[in-house]
Amino acid sequence: MRERATASIVENLEIASGVYRLTLADSRGSDMVSGIVAEAAPGQFVNVYLNSASMLLPRPFGISDVVASERGPRLVLVYAVVGAGTAELSTYAPGAAIRILGPQGNGYELAPLGKNVLLIGGGLGIPPLLFATRRIRERLTPGDDTRLTALLGYRDAPYYSGGMGLYCDEVFSISETASGIGEYKKEHEHKKNRPFCVVNGTVMDLAARLVSDGRLDLTDASILSCGPMPMLCAVAEWAKSKGIPAQVSLEARMGCGYGACVGCTIEVKPAEPIASAANTKGTVLFVSPSDESLTEHPSIAQRKVCKDGPVFPAEAIVW
Ligand SMILES: Cc1cc2nc3c(=O)[nH]c(=O)nc-3n(C[C@H](O)[C@H](O)[C@H](O)COP(=O)(O)OP(=O)(O)OC[C@H]3O[C@@H](n4cnc5c(N)ncnc54)[C@H](O)[C@@H]3O)c2cc1C
Ligand code: FES
């Protein structure tokens, strides 16, 4: 396994209230960012180590994008300030060095996904979906009629919905607060060609509204989702009720962040391969355990989110 190594901060910019975009480049003598940019798959994450000696555990962040820019490879993470670690991270200035380790975990299975791919994201789960969406778009061949539709839920003002618009055929956003909706309208005034729907509520309210309005084609559909656990649980239920295979990127409280401490275990359904996304098309997405010490009971099994995930077939999870 790769050892943690330093990276250099290119930008650490507040892009929405309490939400920062962190752009990293290789620092002198380290090719960690180059390695991540070359290897990373959408859905994987990076462990970020803080400089303060009192905070030894890494903070995991989903990879929002990897860029091969003229000035060298760039790794983009988007994070919200929620506690002491992210508060400290937000104070780091461009030019500072930071230690990171990645890419970690297993990402989304991107093929085959079917004709209608729904990217369902909530809050900080949206930036990592941008990376997935870009990869899917890049892999489409001319004449491919796959449609990419994003359903994005925000607590307040939207961010990254414009970015998703670069790769999706349609982007629908929803905010839980009226102020967020106002911002959304401003942001999208110029994008007359991108239909959108503004409703006060959650991303599942948005999905229900789009279905009832006949604006969401669920034929041969699949779902990639990332966001808070209650949202993922709702997505899993909705997907099951519609018979749509879904892959979800889970968040679990982590310790080591690379498989050594069993701090991030979740319960999954054991034994037989689980029918999922692409199982209907011949690929089995069941997750084998990364570690034989994990419980493998006839009715319940354990998996490590940091090593076996963070992306799992929705129907594999004991919610
Ligand atoms: C696979 C994965 C991907 C993630 N991607 C993102 C992302 O792209 N953007 C983003 O803003 N946040 C993301 N998170 C959540 C992010 O890791 C936490 O918000 C962050 O670790 C909080 O650190 P803190 O010191 O500010 O909070 P504190 O609550 O002070 O943290 C205390 C300890 O608990 C751990 N911890 C706290 N909350 C979480 C959490 N939700 N998940 C895992 N560990 C946690 C911290 O790493 C730290 O070790 C992700 C979490 C996981 C598991
Ligand atoms: S965080 Fe230590 S095993 Fe997953």
Side-chain angles (χ1 to χ4, degrees), residues 16 29 37 76 103 117 137 141 147 155 173 185 209-210 228-229 238 243 253 264 285 294 310:
V37 170
V76 184
V117 183
R137 174 63 68 195
T141 49
R147 279 184 69 75
R155 185 169 298 155
S173 295
K185 280 182 176 161
R209 162 86 178 266
L210 291 170
M229 282 300 270
W238 185 77
R253 231 176 157 81
C264 63
L285 289 180
L294 293 174

Side-chain angles (χ1 to χ4, degrees), residues 57-62 78-80 82-86 124 251-254 310:
L57 294 176
R59 270 55 179 170
F61 299 112
V78 176
Y79 66 93
V82 296
T86 44
L124 271 301
E251 250 195 41
R253 231 176 157 81
M254 289 190 179

Side-chain angles (χ1 to χ4, degrees), residues 190-206:
H190 63 290
K191 292 196 172 163
K192 302 267 188 266
N193 60 334
R194 296 200 189 284
F196 62 89
C197 179
V198 177
V199 197
N200 225 4
T202 69
V203 77
M204 296 322 296
D205 297 328
L206 177 60

